[in-house]
Amino acid sequence: MESISNLLVDWYDRNKRKLPWRTSPSPYRIWLSEVILQQTRVSQGLAYYNKFVRHYPDINHLAAASADDVMKLWQGLGYYSRARHMHETAIRIVREYGGCFPATYRELVRLKGIGPYTAAAIASIAFGEPVPLVDGNVSRVLSRVFADSTPVN
């Protein structure tokens, strides 16, 4: 009998969407996608992600931008504190880490606007740290796999 993890990985390999942050596992692009996609559908967030990458191709460009310019690009996504925190964190990473993202979950989660899920995504995808990523989608899949009727919210 095939393991659940193998079944899920096989399903993912067959059904995954081609998304730009998956082709380049840079911590900056993973972070950018995670911040944009909080409270936002991929169909809407993808255009914002592409716009941000065009304007700010790396953390140094984002940190050098004015807060007003970042907020203008963010317009329409809502939850404007995410954009402010993202900009402040970019400045901090450039100043305190020389423009290089901290490579561990423990360091990442200390940064403003980077919560447990986003820190785990960056640490595991960009740096290979074995940190579990459990969000609402993962919880829903697992509740179906195990026929658990406990609400995931």
Side-chain angles (χ1 to χ4, degrees), residues 57-141:
D58 57 43
I59 192 124
N60 294 300
H61 284 89
L62 178 58
S66 74
D68 286 343
D69 287 344
V70 172
M71 296 306 282
K72 283 178 193 163
L73 267 186
W74 192 268
Q75 242 173 356
L77 267 175
Y79 302 94
Y80 290 90
S81 62
R82 290 184 291 158
R84 281 191 299 279
H85 293 161
M86 186 174 70
H87 187 236
E88 291 168 15
T89 296
I91 292 168
R92 182 174 174 201
I93 289 171
V94 167
R95 284 186 185 154
E96 295 179 21
Y97 297 91
C100 297
F101 270 76
T104 67
Y105 172 86
R106 184 174 284 202
E107 291 173 285
L108 288 161
V109 80
R110 291 184 187 142
L111 296 171
K112 190 173 195 171
I114 297 183
Y117 182 86
T118 300
I122 298 166
S124 64
I125 298 168
F127 299 113
E129 184 178 353
V131 185
L133 287 90
V134 180
D135 67 356
N137 294 323
V138 171
S139 297
R140 280 187 285 284
V141 167

Side-chain angles (χ1 to χ4, degrees), residues 5-110:
S5 60
N6 286 341
L7 289 169
L8 290 171
V9 169
D10 289 345
W11 180 91
Y12 174 78
D13 286 340
R14 287 189 314 275
N15 295 285
K16 68 183 172 189
R17 292 181 272 187
K18 289 183 99 177
L19 298 168
W21 50 86
R22 290 182 178 160
T23 60
S24 170
S26 83
Y28 172 71
R29 292 190 177 200
I30 293 164
W31 174 58
L32 184 60
S33 72
E34 291 295 333
V35 173
I36 288 172
L37 293 175
Q38 293 168 9
Q39 309 292 322
T40 307
R41 294 181 321 279
V42 171
S43 59
Q44 180 187 12
L46 184 56
Y48 282 89
Y49 173 86
N50 288 329
K51 192 166 43 168
F52 264 85
V53 169
R54 273 194 312 276
H55 282 83
Y56 312 120
D58 57 43
I59 192 124
N60 294 300
H61 284 89
L62 178 58
S66 74
D68 286 343
D69 287 344
V70 172
M71 296 306 282
K72 283 178 193 163
L73 267 186
W74 192 268
Q75 242 173 356
L77 267 175
Y79 302 94
Y80 290 90
S81 62
R82 290 184 291 158
R84 281 191 299 279
H85 293 161
M86 186 174 70
H87 187 236
E88 291 168 15
T89 296
I91 292 168
R92 182 174 174 201
I93 289 171
V94 167
R95 284 186 185 154
E96 295 179 21
Y97 297 91
C100 297
F101 270 76
T104 67
Y105 172 86
R106 184 174 284 202
E107 291 173 285
L108 288 161
V109 80
R110 291 184 187 142

